[in-house]
């Protein structure tokens, strides 16, 4: 009986620690979104189009909520921006703003990957711009890329379950040995 209470106690402690960890991560994410004024404050670079400025696997920090006038556009020295691909708005692109024009009531950006020979074959409307890159962490983007895969999600779920039951299994074995 005493072992059973100990077992439940350990299980509850682990569950509470996991809950605190989840709440902390969620709080950090919400604070990051508020501080950087964008729904997408972190983005993983998934192609080599921005080499040498950015590399595959870099995690970029994105500042949103910008007035289009705040984005500097120039070949080689313009701001690196994250935007929705005009031909497929569900896809995000990280390229340099090389030119911008004001047409009608909106700004439009011409973009280019640093390692690409020519500019992209589209203009990005200002409402497709997520924000500009204000920082990068090399290699950490691979973690974000991995988490976006079904295998990555399965690993996270498995780790949570292992942590939740890690204390439970050894105590259950001790309980079984003491009964024999």
């Amino acid at each position: 009986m005493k072992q059973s209470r100990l077992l439940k106690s350990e299980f509850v402690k682990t569950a509470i620690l996991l809950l605190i960890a989840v709440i902390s991560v969620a709080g950090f994410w919400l604070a990051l979104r508020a501080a950087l004024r964008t729904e997408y404050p972190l983005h993983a670079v998934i192609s080599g189009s921005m080499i040498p400025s950015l590399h595959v696997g870099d995690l970029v920090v994105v500042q949103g909520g910008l007035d289009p006038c705040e984005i500097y556009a120039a070949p080689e020295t313009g701001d690196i921006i994250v935007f929705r691909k005009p031909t497929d708005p569900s896809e995000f692109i990280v390229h340099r703003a090389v030119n911008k024009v004001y047409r009608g009531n909106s700004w439009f950006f011409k973009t280019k990957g640093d390692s690409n020979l020519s500019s992209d074959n589209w203009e990005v409307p200002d409402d497709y711009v997520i924000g500009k890159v204000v920082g990068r962490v090399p290699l950490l983007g691979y973690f974000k890329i991995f988490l976006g895969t079904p295998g990555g999600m399965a690993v996270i779920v498995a780790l949570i379950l292992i942590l939740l039951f890690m204390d439970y299994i050894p105590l259950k074995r001790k309980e079984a040995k003491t009964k024999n």
Side-chain angles (χ1 to χ4, degrees):
M1 187 72 150
K2 187 176 179 182
Q3 290 265 342
S4 180
R5 269 190 258 146
L6 182 62
L7 188 67
K8 288 178 184 176
S9 171
E10 289 297 319
F11 184 79
V12 169
K13 285 179 189 176
T14 304
I16 289 171
L17 286 174
L18 280 173
L19 184 63
I20 290 169
V22 167
I23 291 170
S24 297
V25 168
F28 173 75
W29 183 250
L30 289 173
L32 198 59
R33 287 174 59 176
L36 293 171
R37 296 176 295 168
T38 180
E39 193 174 338
Y40 308 100
L42 301 174
H43 188 75
V45 177
I46 59 171
S47 83
S49 67
M50 284 302 294
I51 293 171
S53 300
L54 300 172
H55 298 273
V56 175
D58 285 353
L59 185 72
V60 293
V61 180
V62 181
Q63 174 68 60
L66 302 171
D67 185 301
C69 296
E70 296 177 63
I71 298 173
Y72 176 66
E76 298 180 19
T77 59
D79 288 330
I80 298 172
I81 60 174
V82 178
F83 58 91
R84 294 182 183 279
K85 185 177 182 179
T87 57
D88 180 7
S90 67
E91 188 178 333
F92 295 138
I93 306 284
V94 180
H95 277 178
R96 189 174 303 280
V98 295
N99 193 15
K100 69 180 178 180
V101 293
Y102 190 74
R103 194 178 311 123
N105 294 327
S106 299
W107 283 97
F108 291 85
F109 295 90
K110 194 69 178 165
T111 57
K112 179 183 175 294
D114 287 356
S115 65
N116 295 349
L117 297 176
S118 59
S119 297
D120 299 326
N121 60 356
W122 57 64
E123 286 186 332
V124 180
D126 58 15
D127 61 335
Y128 273 39
V129 175
I130 304 299
K132 71 178 180 179
V133 174
V134 294
R136 80 177 180 98
V137 182
L139 304 176
L140 198 55
Y142 282 118
F143 184 68
K144 187 174 188 294
I145 292 168
F146 178 67
L147 288 180
T149 66
M153 289 306 293
V155 167
I156 294 301
V157 169
L159 286 174
I160 289 172
L161 291 174
I162 288 168
L163 286 172
L164 199 55
F165 292 105
M166 191 166 57
D167 291 332
Y168 178 79
I169 294 167
L171 289 174
K172 195 70 172 169
R173 284 186 189 156
K174 280 183 185 176
E175 187 177 282
K177 283 181 182 178
T178 57
K179 284 183 180 179
N180 293 333

